[in-house]
Amino acid sequence: MSVHTTGPAGPSGRGTGGGAGGSRAAARRTGRGTRPRFGFGLVGPRRDRHSVPLEQLEALALPVGDDGMVIGVDAEGRPAVLGINRPVPYDVTLIGGLWTAQVLALRAAATGARVAVETGRAQAWTALAQAAGGGQPCITLHDVGRVPPQGASAGSPVVVVRDCGMRPPRGRVVSAPWQSVVTLLPYLSPVAPRLLEKSSLVGVQRVSPDEAAQIGRIMGLPRQEYETLSTLADGVTLWCAQGDRQFVMTQGTDAETGLLGGARRMD
C-alpha cells in the first residue's frame, strides 16, 4: 500500500510532514485516529451543508392542518378537525342526534381525554362506555346533576357531554381550562337561545323548517344556509364558530358503525 504525503520530499526521501507529527496532522485533517472528544465522540466525516434557493423554499412546505379530532369531511372531502382539548373554557352546543354526540365522545376519548357523560338515559350510553378504552374507564356515566369535579389538566383533559333532554338544567360542572362541555339538544328548545349565544361552537343537524328559520335568526345565518338545515342528510352537521361556518359529513369507522350502527338523525 503506498502512502501519499502532502509535503515536499526531504533528503531522506520522506516528506517534511512525515513522522509522528505528520501523522497527527493528517489525523486532524481526516478525523481518523484521534482520541474521543469527551462528550462529543469521534469527529465524523465532513460534508457540505444542504441548502436550497429561497425561491424553492416553499416547495418544502408540508400540508399540516389543525390538531384535534377528525369530526368528518367538508364539501371538498378534506378532513374537518375540531380541537376539543383547549387551555381555555370551551362550550359546544349540538342540536342533533345521539349518534353524532356518541361518535364525538368516542373520538374525544381517542385523543386522550377523559369523557364524563351526564345523561338521563344511561341505557343508551352503557354499551359505548363499556367498549371504549379497552376496559379502562375513559368514558364514565353520571346521572343528571351528579357529575363530580373532574380535575382537568393539560396532562388529563376532560370533555363533559351533557345529554339531558330538551331543557338541560344548569350544570354543576362547567367549562374550564382543559375541560370542554358539549351539550346535546335533540331539537330547538326554549333554553337553546341562551346556549347558542354562550357557545364557542354550535352544530346544527336536520331540523324542521320553522326551527331552521329560528336558528337562522339567532345565529345570523344567510337565508340559503338556514333553509338548507331542513334538508340535511343523516350525519351532516352545519358547524358555526365566530362567523366561520362549515358543513361537515360525519361517517363512522368500521368499529364505530359496529358499536353504534349507521349515521342517523333520529333515535
Side-chain angles (χ1 to χ4, degrees), residues 2-266:
S2 61
V3 177
H4 299 279
T5 61
T6 57
S12 64
R14 297 179 180 177
T16 56
S23 299
R24 286 193 294 270
R28 284 194 295 271
R29 289 192 298 272
T30 62
R32 298 174 180 174
T34 58
R35 294 180 180 179
R37 298 179 299 163
F38 292 104
F40 298 96
L42 295 174
V43 177
R46 297 295 184 258
R47 296 186 176 90
D48 295 336
R49 294 180 180 274
H50 297 286
S51 61
V52 295
L54 182 60
E55 58 272 13
Q56 296 181 10
L57 189 60
E58 188 175 348
L60 300 179
L62 297 176
V64 178
D66 296 334
D67 61 341
M69 63 180 184
V70 177
I71 59 174
V73 294
D74 63 14
E76 285 74 36
R78 297 171 300 190
V81 180
L82 171 60
I84 195 71
N85 302 322
R86 298 173 179 251
V88 296
Y90 195 67
D91 286 283
V92 180
T93 297
L94 172 62
I95 301 176
L98 177 65
W99 184 89
T100 301
Q102 291 185 328
V103 168
L104 295 181
L106 281 173
R107 296 184 183 183
T111 68
R114 291 180 289 121
V115 179
V117 180
E118 180 181 6
T119 180
R121 46 178 175 175
Q123 72 280 359
W125 289 86
T126 300
L128 178 146
Q130 292 174 346
Q136 299 297 321
C138 60
I139 297 182
T140 56
L141 306 183
H142 308 272
D143 292 334
V144 176
R146 295 184 176 274
V147 181
Q150 296 296 303
S153 66
S156 183
V158 173
V159 176
V160 178
V161 179
R162 306 198 70 213
D163 174 27
C164 306
M166 294 286 290
R167 296 174 179 266
R170 294 184 182 273
R172 293 175 54 191
V173 177
V174 298
S175 60
W178 302 112
Q179 179 168 287
S180 301
V181 175
V182 179
T183 301
L184 173 65
L185 295 178
Y187 301 101
L188 195 68
S189 70
V191 302
R194 173 179 60 84
L195 291 174
L196 298 184
E197 289 173 1
K198 78 164 191 173
S199 293
S200 303
L201 179 68
V202 174
V204 183
Q205 297 191 294
R206 187 174 63 247
V207 292
S208 69
D210 289 343
E211 290 176 306
Q214 295 181 56
I215 292 171
R217 288 194 296 270
I218 297 171
M219 302 294 297
L221 301 178
R223 180 172 182 175
Q224 181 180 4
E225 287 190 2
Y226 74 71
E227 287 183 345
T228 304
L229 295 177
S230 61
T231 64
L232 295 180
D234 291 343
V236 176
T237 308
L238 174 62
W239 292 103
C240 310
Q242 298 178 350
D244 184 21
R245 298 182 296 275
Q246 189 175 60
F247 286 96
V248 174
M249 164 67 81
T250 302
Q251 298 172 317
T253 64
D254 290 343
E256 291 167 348
T257 302
L259 179 62
L260 304 175
R264 59 192 180 276
R265 171 62 175 92
M266 303 295 293

